[in-house]
Amino acid sequence: MLARNDRGGYTVPTDRLYPFQWNWDSAFVAMSFATFDLDRAFAELERLAEGQWNDGMIPHIVFHAPSDDYFPGPAVWGTTHRVATSGITQPPVFGTALRHLHEAAMREGRTGLEEPTSALLGAALRSHRWWRKARDPDGLGLVAILHPWESGSDNSPAWDEALARVPTITTTVIRRKDTSHVDADMRPRDEDYGRFIHLVDLYRECGWDPAKQWATAPFKIADVQMTAILARATADLLPLAERFGTGAERDELVDGHGALTEGLDRRWRSDLARFVSLDLVSGEDVTAPTQAGFMPLVALRLDAERRAAIAAEFARWCEGVELGLPSTPSFWPAFEPRRYWRGPVWAVINWVVADGLRANGLGDLAASLEQGTVRAIERAGFCEYFDPTTGKGLGGEGFSWTAAAYLVLSGRRP
Ligand code: GLC
């Protein structure tokens, strides 16, 4: 599957529906390439870094080659980087992937990868600096998304309230392509699409300037999933900076890691037994239950009380469903087992959550989540996501990151 989706040093998430390089998809894919082809794994991150802007942002899409299969394409984004890219970002799994590649190189006794590792470390450091400056200008220790697509969980109920404040009018003419590849009942609704593009129009009119966007954004959520992934990646860069970087870079990572983990720690809600994001426009907690509430496990070491509470909550989400972890639990009114990010299970989310469970001493839960994911993929194939009530495969077919999750998680079989 990875070979089939290879377009020359980078993979597309899937043919047709997503015909370019996507940011966090590629980071997961790089980790899976590292299980059998380290050079190809490095190439995946290098091609992603070609899209990195001068200010450090790594965009959510790099449009290496044209395609008519996707909307919104380069003309809608109107960005000015030397390679065409989108103007928003995605979860920074990049640093975690880089550490993973470096460790694989060490295990294999490979030489000659120091230079690429050091160059990619530079890209990761610039990206983390961008995150903290552009997306946490008030120093909350939490990084914010300005568009639901940045979260990677595009249509999550977590964004419903905040997105409802965004107008549906657009200056761009909307020509959806996704619904010609996949059933409309699995995809976002037209009304939400209008809001997604409204935000793109607005930020394009800001000339993609981070400070202007921050001041203008009608949608601004300090996201625990994003912050957790950034905090984890920051920790993962530390050993690399010790080896390839300077003392100042090391200190910067230690400082960033401290700020982000403290920020996350403050987002725990004991009555809900999970972490919650913060809507920076309304000042309210985002209490809609989504997988994001479990992601901080990957960045924090919880005390015994929180660990027991989150394990019980995790079990409650998996109760009565065929396959965990649902992106929205079945006990919640917004649960839709087939629609994008409103219930379905994603293999890469399970991968990250399993890592977090294991890091917090919940190895049994982690193993059962991983094995359930592997079995579902064996039954349904490398589909985009799964219906938690039946375990059936949904969305697009032939997905790179589902194949990536399969390679990595099946290798962990007891
Ligand atoms: C969808 C997902 C996003 C992913 C992309 C490509 O937009 O929500 O997380 O990166 O597809 O697979």
Side-chain angles (χ1 to χ4, degrees):
M1 190 53 61
L2 295 175
R4 197 196 289 177
N5 288 338
D6 192 342
R7 296 290 179 275
Y10 73 93
T11 45
V12 295
T14 183
D15 195 31
R16 312 227 36 213
L17 180 63
Y18 297 121
F20 311 104
Q21 187 175 23
W22 256 257
N23 182 332
W24 73 327
D25 297 62
S26 271
F28 289 111
V29 162
M31 291 191 264
S32 75
F33 271 127
T35 65
F36 65 96
D37 185 347
L38 209 42
D39 294 308
R40 182 59 187 78
F42 271 86
E44 189 76 29
L45 294 186
E46 283 161 353
R47 301 270 357 230
L48 182 59
E50 284 173 22
Q52 183 168 35
W53 288 14
N54 292 340
D55 68 4
M57 183 185 79
I58 303 184
H60 98 299
I61 304 174
V62 187
F63 298 109
H64 290 292
S67 166
D68 281 337
D69 279 323
Y70 183 79
F71 175 89
V76 177
W77 295 98
T79 61
T80 57
H81 187 65
R82 58 189 177 278
V83 186
T85 71
S86 70
I88 58 172
T89 188
Q90 255 193 340
V93 181
F94 190 95
T96 296
L98 183 58
R99 175 179 183 171
H100 198 92
L101 269 49
H102 173 64
E103 287 179 350
M106 296 287 98
R107 269 197 311 276
E108 289 175 22
R110 277 286 305 271
T111 52
L113 290 172
E114 292 78 6
E115 232 177 84
T117 307
S118 168
L120 290 170
L121 171 65
L125 289 167
R126 285 193 295 282
S127 140
H128 285 215
R129 263 173 225 137
W130 174 85
W131 271 108
R132 292 200 59 213
K133 183 161 174 243
R135 296 309 179 81
D136 184 19
D138 302 326
L140 299 177
L142 298 165
V143 288
I145 56 167
L146 304 185
H147 194 297
W149 290 347
E150 294 196 309
S151 69
S153 335
D154 303 13
N155 218 45
S156 172
W159 322 133
D160 285 357
E161 265 184 54
L163 199 61
R165 291 183 225 120
V166 176
T168 54
I169 41 156
T170 61
T171 49
T172 297
V173 179
I174 298 184
R175 293 202 175 83
R176 291 184 68 164
K177 301 282 174 79
D178 56 327
T179 40
S180 59
H181 304 304
V182 172
D183 274 6
D185 71 343
M186 297 186 207
R187 299 290 308 177
R189 297 169 207 282
D190 278 342
E191 197 183 320
D192 291 332
Y193 232 82
R195 297 190 162 100
F196 292 151
I197 300 301
H198 179 93
L199 292 173
V200 173
D201 287 343
L202 200 64
Y203 302 147
R204 186 186 59 241
E205 283 152 22
C206 290
W208 299 110
D209 176 86
K212 279 193 200 144
Q213 290 178 68
W214 187 264
T216 318
F219 180 96
K220 199 189 290 183
I221 294 184
D223 176 21
V224 290
Q225 174 163 301
M226 191 70 90
T227 305
I229 289 173
L230 182 65
R232 171 56 189 262
T234 304
D236 286 330
L237 291 180
L238 201 56
L240 296 177
E242 273 161 2
R243 168 113 194 247
F244 300 100
T246 64
E249 285 163 351
R250 191 195 164 277
D251 293 349
E252 184 186 355
L253 289 169
V254 171
D255 175 67
H257 186 250
L260 295 166
T261 49
E262 280 165 31
L264 272 180
D265 194 72
R266 287 191 286 272
R267 303 310 301 161
W268 171 258
R269 293 293 173 268
S270 50
D271 54 332
L272 301 172
R274 53 188 165 79
F275 295 85
V276 300
S277 295
L278 173 64
D279 186 327
L280 294 176
V281 174
S282 69
E284 306 278 331
D285 282 357
V286 178
T287 52
T290 72
Q291 84 292 336
F294 296 98
M295 297 299 262
L297 285 166
V298 85
L300 302 175
R301 298 299 162 264
L302 304 186
D303 61 28
E305 198 180 317
R306 286 187 184 183
R307 188 166 59 232
I310 210 165
E313 182 65 5
F314 179 88
R316 183 163 87 102
W317 286 45
C318 295
E319 243 169 54
V321 292
E322 181 67 27
L323 178 69
L325 176 73
S327 44
T328 299
S330 58
F331 57 75
W332 188 252
F335 175 72
E336 290 183 80
R338 290 164 56 83
R339 198 184 292 276
Y340 231 47
W341 293 104
R342 305 182 75 86
V345 174
W346 261 261
V348 290
I349 293 290
N350 284 0
W351 174 358
V352 179
V353 170
D355 283 349
L357 290 167
R358 188 167 287 113
N360 278 281
L362 298 165
D364 289 348
L365 283 184
S368 79
L369 186 62
E370 288 165 351
Q371 286 162 39
T373 310
V374 167
R375 276 196 306 273
I377 298 172
E378 281 170 352
R379 276 195 306 261
F382 301 123
C383 54
E384 186 170 13
Y385 52 83
F386 302 86
D387 180 333
T389 62
T390 61
K392 287 219 174 88
L394 296 172
E397 285 173 6
F399 257 72
S400 300
W401 69 1
T402 309
Y406 183 75
L407 265 175
V408 170
L409 299 184
S410 62
R412 293 180 183 172
R413 254 177 188 166

